[in-house]
């Protein structure tokens, strides 16, 4: 006889009588209630912030104050969140560079990126920010040294001055880290400290003032040069300083180029490189949308974020298929650099172009990157991570793309509200003529040439001190051991090649640790 199922309410009651089921239900319901409460809390907070921002503006008008005297809470909050995202890109750079490098260089990369960040913070606070964002003349600023005399907000942004400083420090740190990418594996640690002072303290902020400073000469041209989030200011500058460093250093020992029958040595961990690259992609959502400095420009932020995504996607796909015919393999490294190229290129035009423009810009950036890698290989310049083609060359392309693809439909807002705008930017393909393209070309060419010339002088000056490159013996032994006294990876017995502590001037010695007998025998 077939057993008749119990009524639904009885089955529910049977389940409810089980203590574990009741606890599970309580946890699920409680979690959902907490989530709903958080969503409503965020909505309420944003509403209060917007209302407070409007009240502050009304209060300023009634009291005779200017908007410059009042902090806009929602803009400040948005700028801080974006600053944190951009700063987190340092973790991405560290992983990316280490993954593309050889195993014996990993520890060196970690410490170089950490100390570059520390140096940049102090230098940018002391005088770099003043050179870049202080009022002065068309070439350099000269106020806000050590942030002295800083107002409540920066200009008319409504963003609290320290928040704006923190956001710009994260950008400066990015430029410094880009530089190290083409120089890994053979740069002396003292030399890295010396050139980093020149990059973070002088080259980046002074050139940045020309475009982003309140009275920079490229910003105040009849048709201003536009660089929304830094294709030139951050990426071209970082990329061409990297090129100067790679030339001054020369290739790594044993590096054999393709025209000589060799090729790029494989990175030691594509896992590390890929994870680092995706972290960079994530951080770019602070880099580009954060450059609005205005959470009130919600349409602009959404457009910038979407354009950023589409350019990266197009760059990755094009690079992968572009590399396949010559290699007959689906190359992970070039695909990574393809979507990074798309991100670099869209950084300048992300606010001014539509989604189709973003896809085209990202696609062309992958082509620029791919042939840039081929060009460096042909002229025998050793760039282990592709910093020069990705950041230097694609930064130029992205800057020029504004003069071609800017639609004129999106006026650049001031950060005090969505209704305060400046003249729209219109490119050649949308009826704007050559005016904007000419300004972009003048700015990109001038900054690139000056940056490269000054960087070459800096690198050869550091080279003259004997600190730019490690000794031949140190490079052969491994820069991790030579410069820092320890490897990044300690191999266990039976795992292949590793290191053990040995007496004498060298703390670690490379040995075959396939068996414990070898490990037990120190040399010397």
């Amino acid at each position: 006889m077939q057993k008749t199922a119990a009524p639904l309410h009885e089955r529910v009651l049977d389940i409810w009588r089980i203590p574990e089921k009741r606890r599970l239900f309580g946890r699920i319901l409680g979690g959902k209630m907490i989530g709903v409460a958080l969503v409503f809390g965020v909505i309420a907070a944003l509403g209060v912030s917007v209302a407070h921002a409007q009240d502050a503006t009304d209060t300023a008008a009634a009291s005779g104050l200017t908007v410059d005297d009042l902090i806009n809470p929602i803009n400040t909050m948005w700028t801080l969140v974006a600053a944190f995202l951009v700063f987190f890109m340092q973790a991405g750079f560290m992983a990316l560079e280490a993954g593309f490098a050889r195993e014996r260089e990993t520890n060196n990369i970690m410490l170089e990126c950490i100390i570059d960040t520390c140096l940049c913070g102090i230098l940018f606070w002391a005088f770099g920010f003043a050179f870049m964002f202080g009022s002065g003349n068309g070439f350099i600023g000269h106020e806000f040294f050590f942030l002295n005399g800083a107002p409540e907000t920066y200009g008319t942004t409504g963003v609290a001055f320290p928040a704006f400083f923190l956001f710009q420090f994260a950008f400066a740190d990015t430029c410094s880290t880009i530089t190290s990418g083409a120089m890994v594996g053979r740069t002396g640690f003292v030399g890295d400290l010396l050139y980093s002072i020149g990059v973070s303290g002088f080259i980046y902020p002074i050139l940045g003032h020309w475009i982003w400073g309140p009275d920079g000469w490229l910003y105040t041209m009849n048709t201003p040069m536009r660089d929304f989030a830094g294709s030139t200011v951050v990426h071209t500058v970082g990329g061409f300083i990297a090129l100067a460093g790679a030339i001054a250093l020369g290739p790594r020992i044993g590096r054999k180029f393709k025209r000589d029958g060799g090729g790029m040595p494989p990175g030691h961990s594509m896992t590390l490189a890929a994870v680092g690259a995706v972290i960079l992609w994530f951080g770019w959502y602070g880099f580009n949308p954060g450059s609005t400095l205005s959470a009130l420009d919600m349409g602009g932020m959404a457009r910038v974020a979407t354009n950023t995504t589409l350019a990266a996607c197009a760059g990755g796909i094009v690079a992968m298929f572009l590399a396949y015919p010559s290699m007959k393999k689906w190359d992970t490294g070039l695909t990574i650099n393809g979507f990074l190229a798309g991100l670099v290129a869209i950084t300048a035009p992300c606010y001014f172009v539509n989604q189709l423009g973003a896809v085209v810009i990202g696609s062309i950036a992958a082509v620029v990157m791919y042939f840039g890698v081929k060009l460096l290989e042909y002229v025998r310049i050793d760039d282990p991570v592709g910093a020069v083609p990705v950041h230097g060359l694609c930064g130029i392309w992205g800057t020029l793309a504004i003069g071609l693809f800017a639609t004129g439909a999106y006026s650049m807002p001031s950060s005090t509200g969505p209704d305060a705008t400046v003249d729209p930017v219109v490119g050649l393909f949308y009826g704007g003529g050559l005016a904007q393209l000419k300004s972009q070309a003048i700015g990109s060419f001038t900054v690139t040439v000056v940056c490269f010339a000054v960087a070459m002088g800096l690198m050869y000056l550091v080279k003259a001190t004997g600190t730019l490159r490690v000794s031949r013996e140190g490079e052969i032994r491994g820069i991790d051991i030579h410069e820092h006294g320890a490897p990044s990876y300690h191999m266990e017995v039976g795992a292949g090649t590793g290191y053990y502590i040995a007496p004498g001037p060298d703390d670690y010695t490379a040995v075959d640790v396939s068996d414990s007998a070898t490990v037990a025998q120190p040399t010397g």
Side-chain angles (χ1 to χ4, degrees):
M1 174 182 286
Q2 186 175 3
K3 187 175 180 181
T4 304
L8 178 61
H9 70 277
E10 291 184 8
R11 282 182 284 158
V12 172
L13 288 175
D14 289 341
I15 294 173
W16 184 252
R17 291 188 185 101
I18 303 173
E20 291 79 6
K21 299 295 185 182
R22 292 200 300 271
R23 286 194 291 269
L24 177 61
F25 177 80
R27 287 195 294 268
I28 294 173
L29 180 62
K32 289 182 178 293
M33 291 301 101
I34 292 171
V36 170
L38 287 173
V39 169
F40 279 106
V42 170
I43 292 172
L46 290 175
V48 169
S49 297
V50 172
H52 182 70
Q54 184 60 50
D55 291 343
T57 303
D58 295 340
T59 302
S63 61
L65 298 173
T66 65
V67 177
D68 302 10
D69 301 314
L70 297 171
I71 295 174
N72 184 310
I74 191 171
N75 286 355
T76 299
M77 178 176 66
W78 167 238
T79 302
L80 284 172
V81 170
F84 303 152
L85 284 170
V86 177
F87 183 80
F88 188 57
M89 292 174 76
Q90 291 304 312
F93 277 118
M94 292 165 73
L96 177 76
E97 291 183 12
F100 274 127
R102 295 170 295 188
E103 179 183 316
R104 59 185 178 177
E105 300 154 3
T106 307
N107 192 13
N108 176 258
I109 290 168
M110 297 296 137
L111 186 56
E112 280 192 355
C113 289
I114 290 169
I115 204 64
D116 282 354
T117 297
C118 297
L119 267 178
C120 181
I122 298 299
L123 294 171
F124 206 63
W125 163 70
F127 50 82
F129 183 90
F131 290 160
M132 190 166 184
F133 291 101
S135 295
N137 53 49
F139 294 92
I140 192 169
H142 49 66
E143 64 174 342
F144 307 138
F145 292 102
F146 298 95
L147 301 188
N148 288 329
E152 290 296 317
T153 67
Y154 182 76
T156 60
T157 62
V159 175
F161 200 95
F164 182 77
F165 164 78
L166 189 66
F167 184 66
Q168 295 301 335
F169 150 68
F171 273 57
D173 193 21
T174 299
C175 180
S176 178
T177 308
I178 290 168
T179 300
S180 66
M183 303 173 66
V184 300
R186 70 269 203 212
T187 306
F189 190 69
V190 174
D192 175 78
L193 297 179
L194 293 177
Y195 83 69
S196 293
I197 293 172
V199 173
S200 298
F202 299 95
I203 298 177
Y204 171 78
I206 293 174
L207 294 179
H209 180 84
W210 297 2
I211 302 172
W212 285 350
D215 44 14
W217 71 273
L218 291 172
Y219 176 73
T220 56
M221 293 192 298
N222 289 333
T223 301
M225 177 192 176
R226 302 293 184 186
D227 185 6
F228 183 75
S231 287
T232 291
V233 174
V234 178
H235 296 286
T236 299
V237 169
F240 276 86
I241 298 173
L243 176 61
I247 292 172
L249 280 167
R252 290 167 288 177
I253 293 174
R255 173 74 160 91
K256 197 172 184 180
F257 295 91
K258 188 171 183 179
R259 62 190 296 193
D260 304 316
M264 177 69 76
H268 91 276
S269 174
M270 280 297 102
T271 302
L272 198 59
V275 170
V278 174
I279 290 174
L280 288 175
W281 188 338
F282 176 67
W284 236 285
Y285 292 121
F287 212 96
N288 288 1
S291 293
T292 61
L293 298 178
S294 173
L296 302 177
D297 182 22
M298 289 172 281
M301 288 191 298
R303 183 175 63 257
V304 168
T306 301
N307 287 342
T308 299
T309 303
L310 292 175
C313 293
I317 292 170
V318 170
M320 183 183 70
F321 281 103
L322 194 62
Y324 184 81
S326 63
M327 304 176 65
K328 303 303 180 187
K329 302 291 181 184
W330 305 106
D331 188 83
T332 304
L334 283 171
T335 304
I336 287 171
N337 276 343
F339 77 69
L340 291 176
L343 289 166
V344 169
I346 200 61
T347 296
C350 56
Y351 195 93
F352 309 110
V353 302
N354 58 25
Q355 285 74 52
L356 177 60
V359 171
V360 174
I361 290 167
S363 300
I364 295 175
V367 178
V368 172
M369 177 280 300
Y370 179 77
F371 287 103
V373 169
K374 297 287 187 183
L375 176 62
L376 289 188
E377 188 75 12
Y378 183 79
V379 297
R380 299 188 178 95
I381 293 177
D382 188 11
D383 178 2
V385 305
V388 176
V390 170
H391 297 279
L393 300 184
C394 291
I396 293 173
W397 159 238
T399 302
L400 296 176
I402 294 177
L404 299 173
F405 292 96
T407 66
Y410 313 115
S411 296
M412 182 69 187
S414 79
S415 297
T416 56
D419 298 325
T421 61
V422 299
D423 293 336
V425 180
V426 190
L428 175 65
F429 296 158
Y430 289 84
L434 292 171
Q436 191 64 55
L437 182 59
K438 180 180 177 182
S439 293
Q440 299 302 115
I442 290 171
S444 180
F445 177 80
T446 306
V447 170
T448 300
V449 170
V450 172
C451 172
F452 182 65
V454 173
M456 286 293 286
L458 171 66
M459 293 300 176
Y460 276 97
L461 182 63
V462 175
K463 187 175 183 178
T465 67
T467 61
L468 185 64
R469 182 158 183 163
V470 297
S471 66
R472 177 178 177 84
E473 294 76 14
E475 188 176 342
I476 292 173
R477 289 184 62 235
I479 197 168
D480 284 357
I481 303 300
H482 179 73
E483 290 280 70
H484 310 293
S488 283
Y489 305 102
H490 295 269
M491 303 297 290
E492 299 294 336
V493 171
T497 300
Y499 298 88
Y500 70 88
I501 298 176
D506 299 323
D507 294 331
Y508 287 81
T509 300
V511 296
D512 181 357
V513 293
S514 56
D515 61 73
S516 58
T518 305
V519 179
Q521 301 297 322
T523 59

